[in-house]
Amino acid sequence: MTQAQSGAHPPRLRTVPGRLIVLSGPSGVGKDTVLHELFAIAPDLHYSVSYTTRAPRPGERDGASYSFVDVPTFEKMAAKGEFLEWAQVHGNLYGTSLARVQEALDRGEDVILKIDVQGAARVRRRVEGAVTVFLLPPSGEELRKRLEKRSTEDTTELERRQRDAVGEMAQADTYDFRVINDDVHRAAREVLSIITQLRAAGTPVSPVGAS
């Protein structure tokens, strides 16, 4: 089942004081590491925990890293229009809770979404004012080394993610900002600088038609 096939027409996001920042990048680029550093230096930011059907990796906690659910539960949520966006990525389903994002934005918080390029495209179409940031590796070779070093995938899955990375990085130019993760501290501060610029501009998130 795809998002289009679900037949769900989720509600629009309301105009709110908070801002929505989307962070994407290929597997192994260091999204989690950069986010960890970002929240350490800017604890007022809100991270929206996504839902996924994949199994937890060592060290991941349910409700903190992801909300882990089975496929039937995920599909029921999608059919009811509970996701701002959702997609199948690397053979698993991932989705962003509409309610979690809306509640945080209503409180005036700046919300960070860590989602793939498919999800980012859907958010762009649906939420006027959403800002997208693509995290890039210093090189393709460095990305491969990082994927191999983390040892969280078997050989088949590793090769799949490396192939997917080529297509994902080809989408980098469609993002508002691109940040190279050559140093996690520098990259996190560059993302924070982007958010600081958004705050100074004072432009809130506003709704567009449902995707």
Side-chain angles (χ1 to χ4, degrees), residues 66-186:
Y66 286 95
S67 290
F68 297 97
V69 296
D70 58 23
V71 172
T73 298
F74 189 103
E75 291 181 339
K76 287 178 183 177
M77 294 176 69
K80 291 166 63 178
E82 295 183 16
F83 293 125
L84 172 61
E85 60 78 31
W86 67 268
Q88 185 176 67
V89 185
H90 309 310
N92 297 295
L93 297 169
Y94 293 81
T96 301
S97 167
L98 175 64
R100 289 176 179 176
V101 170
Q102 186 69 74
E103 289 166 4
L105 291 173
D106 283 346
R107 293 192 298 267
E109 299 178 17
D110 292 332
V111 180
I112 306 290
L113 302 182
K114 184 190 71 173
I115 56 180
D116 73 298
V117 295
Q118 298 175 68
R122 292 183 178 119
V123 170
R124 272 197 300 267
R125 290 195 300 267
R126 187 168 178 196
V127 186
E128 183 181 349
V131 174
T132 54
V133 180
F134 196 91
L135 198 62
L136 287 159
S139 67
E141 180 61 28
E142 176 61 24
L143 181 65
R144 182 181 180 85
K145 289 179 180 178
R146 292 179 186 181
L147 273 170
E148 293 173 344
K149 183 178 180 180
R150 71 183 192 178
S151 301
T152 54
E153 292 85 25
D154 59 25
T155 301
T156 300
E157 180 62 17
L158 180 63
E159 291 177 352
R160 184 216 293 255
R161 287 175 181 260
Q162 289 172 341
R163 289 195 303 270
D164 289 347
V166 175
E168 290 167 342
M169 288 193 290
Q171 299 297 314
D173 287 345
T174 68
Y175 281 65
D176 299 310
F177 299 92
R178 289 162 293 283
V179 174
I180 297 175
N181 184 21
D182 50 358
D183 176 87
V184 64
H185 304 293
R186 189 207 61 75

Side-chain angles (χ1 to χ4, degrees), residues 13-65:
L13 284 184
R14 298 186 298 275
T15 299
V16 291
R19 293 163 185 81
L20 194 61
I21 299 98
V22 173
L23 180 70
S24 299
S27 291
V29 76
K31 296 184 293 294
D32 288 327
T33 306
V34 169
L35 284 176
H36 180 78
E37 175 69 15
L38 177 63
F39 290 119
I41 60 178
D44 58 319
L45 294 173
H46 179 90
Y47 177 63
S48 181
V49 177
S50 298
Y51 284 84
T52 185
T53 59
R54 77 159 170 77
R57 293 172 182 156
E60 290 185 330
R61 293 184 297 113
D62 185 42
S65 305

